[in-house]
């Protein structure tokens, strides 16, 4: 699709969505609904079509869509308002397909009519995604495209990491709350969300008409243009670098605490239990996600184009991220240790530490693959061996007896013990140790 046609599609979608947001958002269906329906229909008829032939069948669904939309101003029955909205949406979907495919009268039957709303919805969503991809490809220079793609992919990854760290660190939590407070104070944020979603949906619908079936959106002037560009080294370096930057920021905060207890600091806004228990869970998720991110990025790149992991930028980004994740894991293990010192030993805390130890070994395996030629099948076999070895060790090692023994030692030193947990929370594997203690 040419750049000029893309501009016309965006202008039509943004104009109609602006009208819809202005008169529909937060309002009940009435005259506002027929005004917007008419604007949407005009946009549907005015966008450049894939075929020059305009089907005569368009008059019927568009006329009834506008007529039903006007009925929203006549009736006050909520049930009829719901039916009107559904029928108008269905008729506009049918009109979209008719304008795009221009079927022959023999093809325009009951099956076509009944399935049109569902097919129109699917094609609209798919066409919206592809049109956004084509628009993105038309922006900037070819050299800048990988950087933009990498930034778009890295943004949600960095946000997810930051949100996970916010549950484990008070400074990250303050940043999260500050951002949330800023958005919650913006009264226009929900309205902007409504406008954006409406604009994207209209863009997809108009693109279906412009491309005939909404499946392919290409620039005829660039035969080798790709709607789904390949994720190559530049994009992968940006994504891994963003994840590493957020992770290292967290690790630096922990170094500032000297891996201590920020919950003991007045005004930190985090309790000791949250710091030690809930924070550990989020850190374990981040560590697992980071390993998965490196492996997934490698598989995606190899599936689309042969890319060597010997590239120094990619190797450096992966190793920097792995080093940061190692620091995150050490902080997570330390949190569980603090929790055990304060509240005793349990199987859940023991298994958490075993999981962290297993993940540290897996990090070493991934680091080894990142240094040399990355071999995903070999890494998968190594991870399987480490996971099975961990399971075998936990099976043959009497962890419940160890937990009972440690809790008894803690009782001898501090006078504190959770007798209910020792008597009901452990398996029969702990009974000999408990009987000997009695």
């Amino acid at each position: 699709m040419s750049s000029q046609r893309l501009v016309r599609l965006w202008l039509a979608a943004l104009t109609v969505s602006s009208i819809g947001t202005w008169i529909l958002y937060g309002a009940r269906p009435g005259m506002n609904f027929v005004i917007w329906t008419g604007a949407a229909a005009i946009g549907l008829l005015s966008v450049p079509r894939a075929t020059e032939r305009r089907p005569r069948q368009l008059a019927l669904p568009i006329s009834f869509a506008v007529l039903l939309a006007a009925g929203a101003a006549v009736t006050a029955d909520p049930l009829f308002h719901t039916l009107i909205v559904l029928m108008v949406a269905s008729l506009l979907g049918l009109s979209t397909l008719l304008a795009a495919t221009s079927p022959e009268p023999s093809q325009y039957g009951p099956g076509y009519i009944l399935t049109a709303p569902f097919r129109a919805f699917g094609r609209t969503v798919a066409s919206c995604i592809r049109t956004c991809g084509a628009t993105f490809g038309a922006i900037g220079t070819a050299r800048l495209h990988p950087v933009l793609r990498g930034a778009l992919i890295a943004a949600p990854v960095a946000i997810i990491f930051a949100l996970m760290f916010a549950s484990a660190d008070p400074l990250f939590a303050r940043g999260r709350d500050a951002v949330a407070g800023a958005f919650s104070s913006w009264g226009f944020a929900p309205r902007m969300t409504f406008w954006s979603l409406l604009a994207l949906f209209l863009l997809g619908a108009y693109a279906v008409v412009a491309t005939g079936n909404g499946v392919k959106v290409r620039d005829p002037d660039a035969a080798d243009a790709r709607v789904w560009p390949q994720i190559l080294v530049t994009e992968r370096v940006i994504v891994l670098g963003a994840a590493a930057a957020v992770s290292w920021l967290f690790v630096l905060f922990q170094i500032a605490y000297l891996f201590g207890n920020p919950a003991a600091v007045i005004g930190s806004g985090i309790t000791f239990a949250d710091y030690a228990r809930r924070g550990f869970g989020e850190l374990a998720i981040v560590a697992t996600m980071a390993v998965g991110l490196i492996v997934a990025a490698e598989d995606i790149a190899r599936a689309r184009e042969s890319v060597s992991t010997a590239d120094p930028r990619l190797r450096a980004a992966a190793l920097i991220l792995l080093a940061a994740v190692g620091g995150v894991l050490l902080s997570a293990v330390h949190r569980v240790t603090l929790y055990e010192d304060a509240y005793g030993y349990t199987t859940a805390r023991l298994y958490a530490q075993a999981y962290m130890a297993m993940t540290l070994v897996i990090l070493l395996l991934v680091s080894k693959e990142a240094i040399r030629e990355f071999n995903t099948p070999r890494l998968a076999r190594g991870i399987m061996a480490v996971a099975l070895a961990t399971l075998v060790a936990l099976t043959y090692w009497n962890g419940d007896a160890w937990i009972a023994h440690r809790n008894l030692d803690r009782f001898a030193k501090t006078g504190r013990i959770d007798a209910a947990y020792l008597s009901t929370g452990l398996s029969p594997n702990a009974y000999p140790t408990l009987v000997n203690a009695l």
Side-chain angles (χ1 to χ4, degrees), residues 378-420:
R378 180 174 58 203
L379 176 62
R381 293 191 296 269
I383 292 176
M384 180 183 67
V386 172
L388 292 176
T390 303
L391 180 59
V392 169
L394 291 176
T395 301
Y396 282 89
W397 176 54
N398 194 342
D400 284 1
W402 181 85
I403 291 171
H405 183 72
R406 293 300 301 268
N407 278 299
L408 291 172
D409 287 344
R410 180 171 175 270
F411 171 69
K413 295 177 182 179
T414 64
R416 294 177 294 176
I417 191 170
D418 188 350

Side-chain angles (χ1 to χ4, degrees), residues 180-423:
F183 276 100
S184 63
S185 64
W186 292 354
F188 63 87
R191 187 183 294 270
M192 289 297 296
T193 302
F194 177 84
W195 174 78
S196 301
L197 294 177
L198 186 60
L200 290 175
F201 195 80
L202 287 169
L203 174 68
Y206 293 160
V208 170
V209 177
T211 58
N213 56 15
V215 175
K216 296 180 180 179
V217 181
R218 293 200 176 195
D219 188 345
D221 298 329
D224 61 342
R226 295 186 180 97
V227 174
W228 295 107
Q230 296 181 355
I231 302 176
L232 302 180
V233 174
T234 300
E235 294 92 317
R236 295 164 64 202
V237 169
I238 293 175
V239 173
L240 296 181
V246 179
S247 300
W248 270 111
L249 182 62
F250 173 83
V251 172
L252 291 176
F253 287 162
Q254 307 315 297
I255 295 176
Y257 304 143
L258 296 178
F259 285 89
N261 174 21
V265 179
I266 297 176
S268 65
I270 186 171
T271 65
F272 181 85
D274 283 340
Y275 173 72
R277 182 182 67 245
R278 201 179 75 185
F280 166 81
E282 277 74 9
L283 297 185
I285 292 174
V286 167
T288 306
M289 286 178 60
V291 174
L293 189 65
I294 295 174
V295 176
E298 178 64 30
D299 282 343
I300 290 173
R302 286 187 174 275
R304 298 189 175 184
E305 184 169 320
S306 178
V307 179
S308 174
T309 54
D311 188 287
R313 299 172 300 157
L314 185 61
R315 177 183 299 174
L319 293 177
I320 291 173
L321 175 58
L322 289 170
V325 174
V328 170
L329 286 176
L330 291 178
S331 176
V333 171
H334 182 68
R335 290 163 188 265
V336 178
T337 303
L338 289 177
Y339 205 64
E340 286 177 333
D341 291 340
Y343 301 108
Y345 300 82
T346 64
T347 54
R349 294 160 199 162
L350 174 63
Y351 294 153
Q353 290 174 313
Y355 177 79
M356 286 295 97
M358 179 187 71
T359 307
L360 280 172
V361 176
I362 292 175
L363 282 182
L364 295 177
L365 293 178
V366 178
S367 301
K368 185 178 179 181
E369 295 294 337
I371 292 175
R372 58 182 182 177
E373 185 73 16
F374 206 103
N375 190 318
T376 303
R378 180 174 58 203
L379 176 62
R381 293 191 296 269
I383 292 176
M384 180 183 67
V386 172
L388 292 176
T390 303
L391 180 59
V392 169
L394 291 176
T395 301
Y396 282 89
W397 176 54
N398 194 342
D400 284 1
W402 181 85
I403 291 171
H405 183 72
R406 293 300 301 268
N407 278 299
L408 291 172
D409 287 344
R410 180 171 175 270
F411 171 69
K413 295 177 182 179
T414 64
R416 294 177 294 176
I417 191 170
D418 188 350
Y421 178 78
L422 290 179
S423 60

Side-chain angles (χ1 to χ4, degrees), residues 93-94 97 101 111-124 208:
L94 174 60
L97 284 187
T101 59
Y112 190 97
I113 295 173
L114 292 176
T115 60
F118 307 100
R119 289 187 290 125
F121 179 81
R123 291 186 179 186
T124 295
V208 170

